[in-house]
Amino acid sequence: MATLMYHMLSSSSLLSLGLYNLICTTRNRLKSAGDYAAKPYHPVSFTSQPHLRRLPLYLLLLCLFISLIHQSLVSLDADPLLKGHTPVHRFTSLQAAAVVLSFLILAVFLLISESTSLLPVPLDLFFALASSLFFLQYSVSDSSASVQTSDLQAKCDSVSARISALSALLCLVISVQPRLFLADVALAASLCLQGLWILQTGLSLYVDAFIPDGCHKLLDVVTGVEGSTKCDLEDSKLRAVAILDLAFVVHVLFVLIIVVVTYAAVAKTVGIRRFGSYEALPNTDSNIIQMKAMTGTQA
């Protein structure tokens, strides 16, 4: 139950972060297209208090700290499934904790840069560092998928790794082209997608109603560590993987709907008309008559 609650917390945090960045990015682009540039974080606009304006950054630090504590505690679990003679989950949990710690340090650097003049971090450098950390997360998730004894966990980790790779690529593009609106929107969408997939992972691994038929939890695992969900038959494994592939496509479609609806709602709020629309030109008949009259007078 604790692991499922952690997945739900991580999912809601990433989904909220991605949706908030998507709204702020779209709003900045529509209000001032000439001055638009991607930002690592968007301060709260409804207050003038400096500390309250940095509230999203504080919440991000809190969520990263909770994730770091969770991954550290999971690595100390005394009831792992062994693959050979090595407690695989301990090493994968420590790797995940190291990645979270890296993101936490980067967020602290950003907070120091935003609140003081001690550490001015250029935006392109920040996005380049974020790209390297997302690529590190991709490497850890991909390696974790290759050593998992659970077929479902391996599939979930593999999809999560691909989403992290996409986020790394988008951060790298933004570091080179910070005015590229599509890359900024895609990065926010990738965070939403990662949040939804973490929720799907938690449901598929730890909720009996969502575990595919032919797969089950192993009875000799108390706390639900690595490898706690298995598919006995090859047909059951293939069916479970196909179900997860279908779920991923559904999540992608849902994120696309979120992006379109968010853009439309923000555009309506800001008051921007649809691109490609034309306004009626003012009636110039009177001006033409006056010009003709002036021409006849001069003649």
Side-chain angles (χ1 to χ4, degrees):
M1 181 62 68
T3 306
L4 177 61
M5 292 299 296
Y6 169 74
H7 278 77
M8 294 180 65
L9 175 62
S10 300
S11 173
S12 59
S13 300
L14 281 173
L15 186 59
S16 301
L17 177 62
L19 185 59
Y20 177 75
N21 287 342
L22 180 61
I23 294 174
C24 293
T25 296
T26 306
R27 183 172 180 271
N28 293 341
R29 176 64 173 78
L30 293 178
K31 289 188 65 175
S32 180
D35 299 332
Y36 169 81
K39 297 180 180 180
Y41 101 101
H42 301 272
V44 176
S45 58
F46 59 79
T47 180
S48 59
Q49 297 294 329
H51 295 293
L52 291 179
R53 286 177 61 83
R54 292 190 288 269
L55 180 61
L57 196 52
Y58 295 144
L59 293 177
L60 176 61
L61 289 170
L62 177 61
C63 293
L64 288 173
F65 181 74
I66 293 175
S67 178
L68 177 63
I69 295 299
H70 176 268
Q71 295 293 346
S72 301
L73 292 177
V74 168
S75 66
L76 301 177
D77 199 309
D79 184 28
L81 285 178
L82 300 182
K83 186 173 184 179
H85 298 286
T86 304
V88 177
H89 86 286
R90 291 188 176 180
F91 294 106
T92 56
S93 298
L94 287 175
Q95 289 174 350
V99 173
V100 173
L101 179 60
S102 301
F103 277 106
L104 181 61
I105 293 175
L106 184 61
V108 171
F109 285 165
L110 179 60
L111 176 61
I112 296 175
S113 177
E114 292 290 332
S115 58
T116 67
S117 59
L118 297 178
L119 189 63
V121 179
L123 296 183
D124 54 350
L125 177 60
F126 176 85
F127 279 108
L129 293 175
S131 175
S132 63
L133 293 186
F134 275 119
F135 183 78
L136 177 63
Q137 186 179 30
Y138 155 75
S139 300
V140 170
S141 298
D142 188 61
S143 62
S144 176
S146 64
V147 299
Q148 289 288 350
T149 59
S150 169
D151 302 321
L152 296 183
Q153 181 74 63
K155 178 62 179 180
C156 291
D157 288 346
S158 177
V159 174
S160 179
R162 295 175 185 177
I163 301 175
S164 298
L166 175 62
S167 299
L169 177 61
L170 292 171
C171 284
L172 184 60
V173 171
I174 293 175
S175 67
V176 178
Q177 294 289 340
R179 296 176 59 86
L180 190 57
F181 172 67
L182 293 179
D184 204 5
V185 169
L187 178 60
S190 70
L191 294 177
C192 294
L193 182 59
Q194 188 72 270
L196 290 175
W197 188 250
I198 289 178
L199 177 61
Q200 181 67 48
T201 299
L203 294 176
S204 299
L205 294 179
Y206 305 107
V207 178
D208 293 332
F210 289 89
I211 297 178
D213 293 337
C215 304
H216 59 87
K217 294 181 181 179
L218 297 181
L219 299 179
D220 57 344
V221 178
V222 178
T223 55
V225 296
E226 178 268 332
S228 59
T229 306
K230 288 283 290 183
C231 301
D232 295 328
L233 301 177
E234 185 66 20
D235 290 343
S236 299
K237 172 186 173 181
L238 295 177
R239 181 177 181 275
V241 170
I243 291 175
L244 288 177
D245 287 334
L246 177 60
F248 177 72
V249 173
V250 172
H251 289 311
V252 171
L253 293 177
F254 186 64
V255 170
L256 290 178
I257 294 174
I258 290 177
V259 171
V260 173
V261 172
T262 300
Y263 187 92
V266 173
K268 184 176 181 180
T269 302
V270 174
I272 302 298
R273 297 189 177 184
R274 183 182 61 185
F275 291 114
S277 60
Y278 297 92
E279 296 183 358
L281 294 175
N283 190 358
T284 58
D285 291 342
S286 60
N287 296 332
I288 295 175
I289 294 174
Q290 293 178 2
M291 291 179 64
K292 288 182 177 179
M294 292 178 61
T295 304
T297 303
Q298 293 177 358

